[in-house]
Amino acid sequence: MEQTWRQAKAAFAAIAVPPIAWLFLFFLVPLAVVWGYSLGENTGPVTIDVTGTFANYMRAVEPLYLEIFGKSLIVAGLTTLLCLIVGFPVALAIAFASPKTKAWLLLLIMLPFWTNLLIRTFALIAVLRENGYVNAILEWFWNNGSGVMTMVGLQPLGDFEPLTLLYNNTAVVIGLVYVHLPFMVLPLYSALDRMDRSLMEASLDLGAGHLRTIWSVVVPLAAPGIASGVLITFIPALGAYLTPDLLGGTDSQMIANVIERQFKRANDWPFGAALSFLLMYLTFIAIAVQAFVQRKSERRG
Amino acid sequence: MADQGLTSVPFLGGGKRPPKEKPGPLEYLRRWPLRVIVGATLVFLYLPLITLMVFSFNTSRRNVVWQGFTFDWYEKAFNNESLLQAFVNSLTIAFFCTVISVILGALSAVMLWRFRFPGKTVVEGSMALPIVVPEICMGVAMLVFFARVMPWPMGMPWPLNLGAITIAHISFAFPFVATVVRARLASFNRELEEAAKDLGASEWRTFWDVLVPHMQPGLIAGALLAFTLSLDDFVITFFTAGPDTITFPVKVYSMLRFSVTPEVNAASTILIVVTVILTAVGLQMQNNEPKDKKA
């Protein structure tokens, strides 16, 4: 049973003060300052007056920025969807593997997750760029295909045109999927692993096929796991900075890149502050939706 | 784990299995479509990383064709003064971040696990914030804080000049430690604590001799998590780093902007190896722990 703090005031103070003080001073205060700035305006090169204006938020909903918000939501949504499509079968296979294989596969999925995000993104550049791996493989097929065609008396295919896989929106989505796939697989796996397997066996025994069993038995049972996988993939993807910065082109800016520009280059801190709080509100909305879905599915189950 | 017996097919008894046996109904990993998907996913996850590591040994400057084996890029990376400095900075920050995060994380876990107090939900919610708030938002908050509210003194001697980055790292790392330690505390039998106190142990002795040994696996796991989170972080550091306080990821980032040479591959390979070793050590420690404790 938990103790009330009154029973051991000295111990409570010794335990509670350091973390609460740290959290307050080095996390809540900085956030509060940004929040204050989002309601302020530049009055000089380095002075910002908190005037309580909503001008920054009004500017954030202008079509230009609204479009970037929309685009970020679409990119993050697409990333989450692709992660779900790839991650679900992978999680399913892992959950039903033998204990030893399971441990190895989980480790293999986890390991890239522990390596540096920047390094992973950089590794992807080397694979995707015009003289990178993917294009080299495609070129090899192209040239050999071309050779085969001349051999059988057809026109050769002509020169190989490397695909532009880098510095565009496709690259951003590929990069985000690459980075966030483990986030999706792990919660899905833990949901599928906990599931009551006799229900699946019953469904298969009663004549439903595998796809039907997965769709009408496994998916509803794993719904809370799917919801949390979706959430922890969607949130970091929505606020991604590095991936669109390194893999994207001029038109693949996401919210985080715009925020960075306000703080580091445009020097419009109030506007940047407003944008980052809008991003934070979007995150909280996503969390609230997930909590709602979770509660609903728990009540039903 | 209890339902494992249900799914493993009885006639699979021995290690050898007959070649043409049909997979059991739920052995999804033995069906070819799933094998293809799992295999393709692993290739997708590892091909870029392996390519990166392989080409750090390539004689050619371009990361395309294999021309021959060399250690030149490692030599270059090791002779690159600022890269080395950045690496040392990263390790130093990660070390201090780990120590303080573990202390703060353990204290928060014990606080939330042991006490009932007014405003507990608020504290709990605020502790979860650093985990869910987008990195970029936290990065700009730290930038603003260290630029306007509490400027970190310029020209401090090393390692004190890394203070701002370290503080920022602790702020996002210790709530993760708290989560891990709290999960571990859930399995603690509170009566042990009461027994220790009944037998005359002081508050401090009980904490140190009863609670801390129980938390230990959680503390180790939390420490590793804090260390990797700190070593891995780019975005928040990017906003708090000054010209003379560059960390490894920030340095690699500027190298990438400048030109992509195999030197970056070499530096990255070193970091990957360091991380993999750390993870392996951590997993080993966690696997050994329960056996000792349950005996």
Side-chain angles (χ1 to χ4, degrees), chain B residues 37-245:
Chain B
I37 294 174
V38 172
T41 307
L42 290 178
V43 169
F44 174 58
L45 286 179
Y46 282 91
L47 181 74
L49 287 175
I50 290 169
T51 315
L52 175 140
M53 301 217 261
V54 167
F55 280 102
S56 70
F57 296 105
N58 190 12
T59 34
S60 161
R61 270 190 80 81
R62 282 157 35 109
N63 275 345
V64 200
V65 232
W66 178 260
Q67 288 195 329
F69 186 87
T70 178
F71 275 120
D72 281 2
W73 303 110
Y74 286 87
E75 216 183 303
K76 259 194 127 165
F78 274 111
N79 288 327
N80 184 336
E81 199 76 25
S82 61
L83 185 64
L84 221 54
Q85 179 64 50
F87 197 68
V88 172
N89 281 350
S90 268
L91 290 178
T92 314
I93 294 168
F95 172 76
F96 285 112
C97 168
T98 307
V99 172
I100 302 177
S101 297
V102 166
I103 295 171
L104 290 175
L107 287 177
S108 354
V110 172
M111 164 182 78
L112 293 173
W113 167 80
R114 181 170 155 186
F115 292 105
R116 240 177 312 130
F117 54 94
K120 187 173 174 178
T121 359
V122 176
V123 171
E124 237 178 321
S126 320
M127 287 269 172
L129 268 185
I131 300 179
V132 296
V133 158
E135 274 193 305
I136 184 89
C137 299
M138 193 153 167
V140 300
M142 290 299 164
L143 170 77
V144 169
F145 183 73
F146 286 113
R148 296 288 160 83
V149 183
M150 197 188 92
W152 196 256
M154 295 291 277
M156 296 271 270
W158 189 87
L160 287 176
N161 59 354
L162 305 172
I165 304 176
T166 314
I167 288 173
H169 282 196
I170 294 165
S171 291
F172 71 74
F174 92 85
F176 281 94
V177 180
T179 316
V180 175
V181 176
R182 207 180 167 195
R184 172 74 197 170
L185 275 175
S187 66
F188 182 76
N189 185 353
R190 283 174 206 264
E191 284 164 13
L192 287 177
E193 209 184 10
E194 281 160 31
K197 280 187 197 148
D198 281 350
L199 293 170
S202 66
E203 190 73 58
W204 170 252
R205 266 204 90 77
T206 317
F207 177 74
W208 196 249
D209 288 347
V210 180
L211 206 52
V212 170
H214 181 84
M215 288 195 292
Q216 199 191 352
L219 294 177
I220 293 172
L224 276 157
L225 192 60
F227 196 85
T228 20
L229 280 172
S230 166
L231 207 58
D232 193 34
D233 180 71
F234 168 76
V235 174
I236 293 165
T237 318
F238 187 52
F239 283 96
T240 29
D244 56 339
T245 53

Side-chain angles (χ1 to χ4, degrees), chain A residues 3 26 108 116 245 264, chain B residues 46 114 116 142 232 238 253:
Chain A
Q3 237 177 345
F26 295 126
L108 282 174
N116 196 298
D245 182 58
K264 287 215 150 178
Chain B
Y46 282 91
R114 181 170 155 186
R116 240 177 312 130
M142 290 299 164
D232 193 34
F238 187 52
Y253 179 78

Side-chain angles (χ1 to χ4, degrees), chain A:
Chain A
M1 197 38 210
E2 286 162 353
Q3 237 177 345
T4 66
W5 67 284
R6 272 179 247 268
Q7 282 172 315
K9 279 183 187 159
F12 177 72
I15 290 170
V17 167
I20 291 183
W22 187 286
L23 191 76
F24 181 76
L25 184 60
F26 295 126
F27 182 75
L28 296 177
V29 166
L31 281 188
V33 174
V34 175
W35 188 75
Y37 279 0
S38 76
L39 300 169
E41 51 196 308
N42 277 320
T43 47
V46 288
T47 46
I48 296 168
D49 278 354
V50 179
T51 50
T53 170
F54 279 100
N56 298 309
Y57 289 99
M58 294 311 285
R59 217 180 122 198
V61 294
E62 279 171 13
L64 173 67
Y65 296 104
L66 219 50
E67 200 182 306
I68 291 175
F69 269 102
K71 182 169 193 173
S72 303
L73 285 168
I74 291 171
V75 167
L78 196 60
T79 302
T80 312
L81 184 69
L82 287 172
C83 280
L84 186 62
I85 291 172
V86 178
F88 190 82
V90 173
L92 190 73
I94 297 177
F96 291 98
S98 69
K100 210 168 171 187
T101 328
K102 189 190 271 188
W104 273 107
L105 283 174
L106 278 176
L107 183 67
L108 282 174
I109 296 284
M110 287 277 281
L111 212 52
F113 175 75
W114 291 102
T115 46
N116 196 298
L117 172 66
L118 180 68
I119 292 177
R120 277 183 289 161
T121 313
F122 162 57
L124 209 55
I125 294 180
V127 172
L128 291 179
R129 64 203 170 129
E130 272 188 13
N131 49 12
Y133 231 99
V134 172
N135 269 313
I137 292 171
L138 288 176
E139 189 174 6
W140 186 83
F141 276 114
W142 183 275
N143 290 340
N144 280 294
S146 186
V148 169
M149 284 175 85
T150 33
M151 260 197 301
V152 296
L154 289 166
Q155 283 288 337
L157 286 170
D159 283 338
F160 175 73
E161 289 276 334
L163 288 180
T164 316
L165 294 165
L166 211 51
Y167 309 126
N168 52 31
N169 293 329
T170 321
V172 175
V173 174
I174 294 177
L176 288 173
V177 171
Y178 180 65
V179 167
H180 294 111
L181 195 56
F183 285 100
M184 181 62 95
V185 173
L186 295 177
L188 285 182
Y189 158 77
S190 72
L192 291 173
D193 198 48
R194 278 198 308 260
M195 199 176 53
D196 184 358
R197 280 153 206 222
S198 52
L199 293 171
M200 285 180 75
E201 279 160 358
S203 161
L204 291 170
D205 279 350
L206 293 170
H210 276 282
L211 288 179
R212 203 184 142 87
T213 302
I214 286 170
W215 185 249
S216 11
V217 178
V218 180
V219 170
L221 283 175
I226 294 173
S228 61
V230 165
L231 183 76
I232 66 173
T233 313
F234 184 76
I235 287 179
L238 184 65
Y241 168 75
L242 202 57
T243 316
D245 182 58
L246 287 176
L247 300 179
T250 43
D251 68 328
S252 354
Q253 299 286 300
M254 288 173 69
I255 317 168
N257 307 92
V258 181
I259 296 174
E260 187 262 358
R261 209 186 310 142
Q262 303 310 319
F263 277 92
K264 287 215 150 178
R265 279 166 264 183
N267 214 17
D268 190 349
W269 288 17
F271 182 50
L275 287 176
S276 67
F277 261 86
L278 285 175
L279 174 59
M280 208 131 50
Y281 295 144
L282 282 179
T283 310
F284 292 148
I285 292 172
I287 295 172
V289 169
Q290 194 260 358
F292 179 73
V293 170
Q294 191 116 28
R295 201 169 310 152
K296 221 173 148 189
S297 81
E298 267 163 20
R299 206 178 302 150
R300 204 176 42 189

Side-chain angles (χ1 to χ4, degrees), chain B residues 242-253:
Chain B
D244 56 339
T245 53
I246 299 287
T247 67
F248 187 76
V250 175
K251 175 71 190 168
V252 170
Y253 179 78

